[in-house]
Amino acid sequence: MALIRKAIQAVDLIVDEDSGVLAVQPGGGPSAARNPGDGVTIGDTSTMALAANAGRREATFVNDSDETIYLRLGTDAVMNSGIRLNANGGSYTTTVYTGIVTAICVSGGKNLCVSEV
């Protein structure tokens, strides 16, 4: 059985060529896989930092801003909850989690560097 992953707008479809659609996941399309250091602008409301990717082996997030950013795995980010990335270089790496990652900060417009392998 061969699997094909296709991005359609803001949804990723994981398709089995023989039987049809296996799963529909929130996603960012082709931009979901990120090169080392790609930046994501984090808002003052929950912002997708990285789309779900069943093939992910590792993801690293580095706060490249002057204020704290909070990450949340699998659901909307909330201030003062989840994984805290301190200003000016706070970081988090996962080699296990493959779902969606969201982020939030107080003022919005802050840069989060994201790398996915």
Side-chain angles (χ1 to χ4, degrees):
M1 163 175 32
L3 297 179
I4 299 173
R5 182 181 183 123
K6 294 188 178 189
I8 300 175
Q9 293 180 6
V11 176
D12 288 341
L13 297 179
I14 299 175
V15 179
D16 179 315
E17 287 181 329
D18 299 324
S19 64
V21 175
L22 289 178
V24 178
Q25 301 174 336
S31 65
R34 302 210 176 259
N35 295 317
D38 278 358
V40 176
T41 301
I42 303 304
D44 60 356
T45 60
S46 186
T47 306
M48 185 174 64
L50 189 62
N53 179 354
R56 179 183 306 141
R57 295 183 317 235
E58 179 179 290
T60 299
F61 305 84
V62 180
N63 184 351
D64 189 28
S65 78
D66 59 355
E67 69 183 45
T68 301
I69 292 175
Y70 293 90
L71 298 180
R72 192 72 173 255
L73 307 179
T75 188
D76 287 342
V78 177
M79 287 300 304
N80 302 309
S81 179
I83 301 164
R84 178 186 169 113
L85 301 182
N86 290 328
N88 303 312
S91 65
Y92 170 74
T93 298
T94 180
T95 58
V96 179
Y97 183 71
T98 61
I100 187 172
V101 180
T102 58
I104 193 169
C105 62
V106 170
S107 65
K110 300 300 179 177
N111 191 54
L112 178 65
C113 296
V114 179
S115 176
E116 179 183 52
V117 180

